[in-house]
Amino acid sequence: MELASPSFPLSGRRIVLGITGSIAAYKSATLARELKRRGAQVRVVMTAGATEFITPLTMATLIDRPVHSDFTEDEHAGVWTNHVELGIWGDLIVVAPATANTLAAMVHGQCENLLQAVLLSARCPVAVAPAMDLDMFTHASTQDNLRVLEERGVDIVDPGTGPLASGLVGKGRMAEPEDIADRVEAHFQKTLPWSGKQVLITAGPTHEPLDAVRFLGNRSSGKMGFALASAFADQGALVTLVVGPVNLPTPERVHRRIDISTAVDMNEAVQSCWASMDFGVACAAVSDFRPAQTSDIKWHRADMPETIALKENPDILRGMGQSKTDAQRLVGFALETDEGLDSAKAKLARKNLDAIVLNTLQDDGAGFAVDTNKVTVLDASGRTVEFDLQAKDELAQKLVDLWRTTLIP
Ligand code: C5P
């Protein structure tokens, strides 16, 4: 069983760190490292002024990728920096330090350098950590600019008070990198509907070995579970994905992936973390049976047993339902080859679930290995919601929204 990295509070979050020309730029190195340490992906955009205070090489080394400071990456080859792409890539832009000049440029929509272009084309929220001398900070222009930016929704990380590079003492020192990183964390906590919630998802098939090369399995691709993992993570949840043998890359913001092969392994992985979860979704197509005996070597034709005895596997979801606390919520999936509504209702009660997602193999485009699905969701309070045939990604987002409003207090 492979255990991936432990969860980091900013895991998978994409942060564009803008650095402008202030002496406090030396602290941006610590900030970049701190954001990375907490799991964020960081890209750095520096103004020309910033490069006078700290070298792009320092920043590039810390974030493990080149920094951006010009509109062109390679003038001779005609390669330009796609500021729009950078603005869209980021979940948050943090300008730290933010000089009086850059704050003014932001207010007026100036576009004289790459960072300003990124800020103008950004779709994500922006935070700034001002850093300047006392008189510049207290000047009516700067204060007006900060007020305007705040009104527009920019998060202002207030500077601290203390000795300044000029020798003056007062307000203007950039906030400490750890405090800015805390603020970044708080931003994600308060802005996303599933922030702070731990979500466990099982996905994919299980493989129950018959001999060294053969197994009992099913055609589950894991696509629905992965789409859900991605949708939950995008909404701020800390997602643990317990997954059988599938051929899918881990969705970007998922905190932890545990790869297993058999139902017994999946059960063990689930049992090890379910108690610390707020929400569980059992999407895996777990094999209900496993061969009673397996062989470490490959059976040859002559060794083949005439019959293969089967043993019952643990019902993982039922176990989760049995130990579920009042604070936990649990959703199962039911794949039926016929109508299945009554059977899904019975399963909802039997496994002590809060909701069940029914998909029937009767519907074209629904079920295993395809990219679309058509489902009906039943919940314990008797509500039924039907979703038309649609892409699994889209459906996953709608399910996650539905559960946020109907199942989370
Ligand atoms: O009882 P049935 O297998 O139809 O229930 C399906 C639901 O139960 C799915 O959510 C599936 O992930 C889960 N399940 C499980 N462990 C099993 C069998 C099914 O968690 N051994």
Side-chain angles (χ1 to χ4, degrees):
M1 191 186 306
E2 175 203 323
L3 271 183
S5 56
S7 52
F8 297 102
L10 291 175
S11 178
R13 303 282 160 226
R14 297 160 164 176
I15 294 165
V16 176
L17 173 59
I19 309 177
T20 68
S22 148
I23 175 64
Y26 80 92
K27 291 189 191 170
S28 305
T30 311
L31 175 58
R33 211 186 46 191
E34 189 58 24
L35 293 171
K36 286 225 11 153
R37 191 185 67 74
R38 299 183 190 203
Q41 295 176 46
V42 182
R43 293 198 188 170
V44 168
V45 182
M46 300 174 78
T47 64
T51 64
E52 307 264 321
F53 289 99
I54 185 161
T55 72
L57 181 61
T58 305
M59 295 309 302
T61 308
L62 287 169
I63 64 164
D64 247 350
R65 55 175 301 132
V67 306
H68 307 281
S69 39
D70 293 315
F71 282 104
T72 48
E73 298 284 315
D74 182 342
E75 228 170 297
H76 305 295
V79 180
W80 68 300
T81 305
N82 190 337
H83 56 88
V84 176
E85 190 268 327
L86 260 174
I88 291 173
W89 176 85
D91 297 318
L92 178 71
I93 300 180
V94 183
V95 185
T99 55
N101 179 53
T102 294
L103 294 173
M106 286 172 74
V107 168
H108 296 290
Q110 277 166 229
C111 192
E112 285 169 352
N113 59 37
L114 180 67
L115 177 61
Q116 291 172 11
V118 171
L119 285 161
L120 262 187
S121 41
R123 293 190 187 161
C124 64
V126 175
V128 295
M132 63 200 75
D133 224 315
L134 171 66
D135 298 319
M136 292 170 84
F137 183 71
T138 52
H139 195 284
S141 307
T142 306
Q143 289 302 313
D144 279 353
N145 288 339
L146 286 169
R147 192 179 33 75
V148 171
L149 291 175
E150 196 162 25
E151 277 167 14
R152 289 184 196 160
V154 173
D155 189 15
I156 317 281
V157 187
D158 246 4
T161 301
L164 301 164
S166 60
L168 296 175
V169 177
K171 201 167 179 182
R173 282 162 67 116
M174 187 176 85
E176 291 309 316
E178 284 76 12
D179 296 334
I180 300 174
D182 286 349
R183 187 74 155 253
V184 168
E185 253 187 72
H187 162 82
F188 287 110
Q189 297 237 327
K190 66 171 187 275
T191 52
L192 295 168
W194 284 86
S195 287
K197 299 271 181 247
Q198 296 255 18
V199 177
L200 172 64
I201 299 173
T202 67
T206 60
H207 285 183
E208 311 297 332
L210 278 159
D211 69 5
V213 293
R214 301 180 181 94
F215 58 83
L216 202 64
N218 61 62
R219 293 189 292 116
S220 168
S221 62
K223 284 181 179 170
M224 193 65 228
F226 274 58
L228 280 167
S230 181
F232 271 111
D234 282 351
Q235 295 297 315
L238 294 165
V239 176
T240 298
L241 185 56
V242 180
V243 55
V246 295
N247 196 10
L248 296 170
T250 311
E252 258 196 26
R253 300 169 211 278
V254 164
H255 287 239
R256 190 169 169 217
R257 169 175 174 161
I258 303 175
D259 286 289
I260 52 84
S261 182
T262 66
V264 168
D265 285 350
M266 182 175 274
N267 194 37
E268 191 189 313
V270 165
Q271 291 295 325
S272 73
C273 58
W274 171 231
S276 59
M277 297 288 153
D278 298 295
F279 204 92
V281 184
C283 207
V286 183
S287 172
D288 289 324
F289 307 99
R290 66 179 182 276
Q293 275 177 341
T294 61
S295 159
D296 290 342
I297 52 163
K298 182 186 164 193
W299 281 330
H300 291 290
R301 205 177 274 269
D303 318 324
M304 233 25 211
E306 237 166 61
T307 54
I308 295 168
L310 297 175
K311 238 177 158 167
E312 202 177 334
N313 268 333
D315 186 335
I316 303 166
L317 182 57
R318 195 163 188 184
M320 294 165 87
Q322 275 164 354
S323 64
K324 186 170 68 120
T325 64
D326 287 349
Q328 288 178 310
R329 297 288 178 273
L330 183 58
V331 176
F333 270 67
L335 179 71
E336 307 289 347
T337 45
D338 51 22
E339 266 289 299
L341 213 56
D342 289 340
S343 144
K345 268 186 199 153
K347 224 168 265 184
L348 176 81
R350 191 171 67 244
K351 301 198 185 200
N352 191 26
L353 308 180
D354 297 288
I356 192 156
V357 182
L358 168 69
N359 42 3
T360 75
L361 283 179
Q362 277 189 333
D363 297 310
D364 283 344
F368 283 159
V370 289
D371 288 325
T372 51
N373 210 355
K374 175 177 181 240
V375 303
T376 303
V377 182
L378 316 171
D379 73 22
S381 62
R383 206 177 353 227
T384 303
V385 185
E386 287 182 23
F387 292 91
D388 290 338
L389 186 71
Q390 56 195 297
K392 284 180 176 170
D393 289 344
E394 257 174 68
L395 176 63
Q397 282 168 20
K398 290 180 188 162
L399 291 174
V400 166
D401 289 345
L402 173 76
W403 297 330
R404 185 73 191 87
T405 49
T406 58
L407 298 186
I408 298 290

